[in-house]
Amino acid sequence: MAVRRYLDQRLKLHHLRAVEAIVAQRSILKAAAVIGVSQPALTKTLRELEDILQQRLFDRLPRGVRPTEAGTLLAQSARRILAELRRLDEALDHIADPEGGTVAIGTLPVAATAVLPGALTRLKAEHPGIGVRLEQGRTEELLPKLAAGEIDLIVGRLYEPAAPDGFSREPLWEEPISILARADHPVFAGGPPKPEELRRYDLVLPTVSQRVGQEIDTVLDMLALEPTPSLRSSSYGFIREMLHATDLISVMPRLMMAGDLLRGTLRVVPLPIPAPPRPAGLILPRDRPLAPAGAAFVACLRAHVAEIGQRGLADITSADKRRGKSDRTRRRNQG
């Protein structure tokens, strides 16, 4: 016999915020700090929830908690409901101020340092009333948030999904792995360098995600460049200074240094091998259209990407001229 829980009458928003925070933090103590309540108060809210649902929501572990099947189910619904309320709040703001609104952008690390600064600068100049929420992460971390409506879109490298996942992927540009050096570096003295000429110079390499790191290692292997004695850093500022001040060269997605390339203080060293394709662009949900603020951001991103392409820093794909609606990227023209 089905149990009547009367969730529409008994569940409150603070219940949803509580379970979402506990699942995210995997700790009642940490979740209490995040949502600004005491641990006893959050524990009481959790007991109320379990009483309403007549289900245990979390298993207590030596360190923290783990959601049960019911807890995971409730957290997924909570994220969708809270995201819809945030979207409603933003839509009401847009009614009050048609030039305003907020766009929530998920970004992969390379895009965060490459195309986003220029796109957001353009957005602020053209639409000063639009607010921006940025969340940086890996694709597998951002996709659930896109599905739940917590973010409006994802900008960055388009990795091929293992199976169709219901998202639209639209390639806009290429993020080739390139060799970078200062504009007056000796490597530019002659014609395109041979691999043995590149091996004369020490490397400074970025500390990046596993996927990007593997792609960098692939190019290093193809060129027989030895990364062992190289400098590695997660600080783009440090890498920039080393490139500008020394004869070090770097191997990375070239748009990580888009600003310096546009200013002409760094240059791309011609690769003596074909660079593996690395399409990048937008990931969008199929089941909801972009709000006006999101559409305005996409327009500014397209314009900035077009400018980068005109300056010869990246190959621009045909998808910047026509909208794509595909779970996959391999059928797209990757420039």
Coordinates of all heavy atoms in Angstrom, one line a residue, residues 31 51-52 93-94 104 127 160 164 200 263 272 297 317-318 329-330:
A31 N 28.2 21.2 6.0 CA 27.0 21.7 5.4 C 26.4 22.8 6.3 O 25.9 23.8 5.7 CB 26.0 20.6 5.2
D51 N 11.6 12.0 8.8 CA 10.2 11.7 9.3 C 9.2 11.9 8.2 O 8.2 11.1 8.0 CB 9.9 12.6 10.5 CG 8.5 12.3 11.1 OD1 8.3 11.1 11.5 OD2 7.7 13.2 11.1
I52 N 9.3 13.0 7.4 CA 8.4 13.4 6.4 C 8.4 12.3 5.3 O 7.4 11.8 4.8 CB 8.7 14.8 5.8 CG1 8.3 15.8 6.8 CG2 7.9 15.0 4.5 CD1 8.8 17.2 6.4
D93 N 13.9 39.6 -12.5 CA 14.8 40.7 -12.6 C 14.8 41.3 -14.0 O 14.9 42.5 -14.2 CB 16.3 40.3 -12.2 CG 16.4 40.1 -10.7 OD1 15.6 40.6 -10.0 OD2 17.4 39.5 -10.3
H94 N 14.8 40.3 -15.0 CA 14.8 40.8 -16.4 C 13.5 41.5 -16.7 O 13.6 42.5 -17.5 CB 14.9 39.6 -17.3 CG 15.0 39.9 -18.8 ND1 16.0 40.6 -19.3 CD2 14.1 39.7 -19.8 CE1 15.8 40.8 -20.6 NE2 14.6 40.3 -20.9
A104 N 24.7 32.2 -15.7 CA 25.6 31.3 -14.9 C 26.4 30.5 -15.9 O 25.8 29.7 -16.7 CB 24.7 30.5 -14.0
H127 N 26.6 45.2 -22.3 CA 25.4 45.0 -21.5 C 25.8 45.1 -20.0 O 25.9 44.2 -19.3 CB 24.9 43.6 -21.7 CG 24.5 43.3 -23.2 ND1 23.4 43.7 -23.7 CD2 25.3 42.6 -24.1 CE1 23.3 43.3 -25.0 NE2 24.5 42.6 -25.3
E160 N 34.7 14.2 -26.4 CA 33.7 13.3 -27.0 C 33.1 12.5 -25.9 O 33.8 11.8 -25.1 CB 34.4 12.3 -28.0 CG 33.4 11.6 -28.9 CD 32.7 12.5 -29.8 OE1 33.3 13.4 -30.4 OE2 31.5 12.2 -30.1
P164 N 25.8 9.2 -26.2 CA 25.0 10.4 -26.3 C 24.4 10.7 -24.9 O 23.9 9.8 -24.2 CB 23.9 10.0 -27.3 CG 24.6 9.0 -28.2 CD 25.4 8.2 -27.3
R200 N 67.0 22.2 -27.8 CA 68.1 23.0 -27.2 C 67.5 23.8 -26.0 O 68.3 24.3 -25.2 CB 68.6 24.0 -28.2 CG 69.3 23.4 -29.5 CD 69.6 24.5 -30.4 NE 70.1 23.9 -31.7 CZ 70.3 24.7 -32.8 NH1 70.1 26.0 -32.7 NH2 70.7 24.1 -33.9
R263 N 48.7 40.7 -27.8 CA 49.6 41.9 -27.6 C 50.9 41.8 -28.3 O 51.6 42.7 -28.5 CB 49.8 42.1 -26.1 CG 48.6 42.7 -25.4 CD 49.0 43.0 -23.9 NE 49.1 41.8 -23.1 CZ 48.1 41.2 -22.5 NH1 46.9 41.7 -22.5 NH2 48.3 40.1 -21.7
P272 N 56.6 21.4 -36.1 CA 57.1 20.6 -37.3 C 56.3 19.4 -37.5 O 56.6 18.5 -38.3 CB 58.5 20.2 -36.8 CG 58.5 20.2 -35.4 CD 57.5 21.3 -35.0
F297 N 25.5 36.8 -23.7 CA 26.9 36.4 -23.5 C 27.4 35.6 -24.7 O 28.5 35.7 -25.1 CB 26.9 35.5 -22.2 CG 28.2 34.7 -22.1 CD1 29.4 35.3 -21.8 CD2 28.2 33.3 -22.4 CE1 30.6 34.6 -21.8 CE2 29.4 32.6 -22.4 CZ 30.6 33.2 -22.1
T317 N 35.7 27.3 -36.3 CA 35.0 26.2 -36.9 C 33.7 26.8 -37.6 O 33.3 27.9 -37.3 CB 34.5 25.1 -36.0 OG1 33.5 25.7 -35.2 CG2 35.6 24.7 -35.1
S318 N 33.1 26.1 -38.5 CA 31.9 26.5 -39.2 C 30.8 26.7 -38.2 O 29.8 27.3 -38.6 CB 31.6 25.6 -40.3 OG 31.3 24.3 -39.8
T329 N 30.9 15.6 -31.3 CA 31.6 16.6 -32.0 C 32.3 16.1 -33.3 O 32.7 16.9 -34.1 CB 32.6 17.2 -31.1 OG1 33.5 16.2 -30.7 CG2 32.0 17.9 -29.9
R330 N 32.5 14.8 -33.4 CA 33.4 14.3 -34.5 C 32.8 14.6 -35.9 O 33.5 14.6 -36.8 CB 33.7 12.8 -34.3 CG 32.5 11.9 -34.5 CD 33.0 10.5 -34.7 NE 33.8 10.0 -33.6 CZ 33.4 9.3 -32.5 NH1 32.1 8.9 -32.5 NH2 34.2 8.9 -31.6

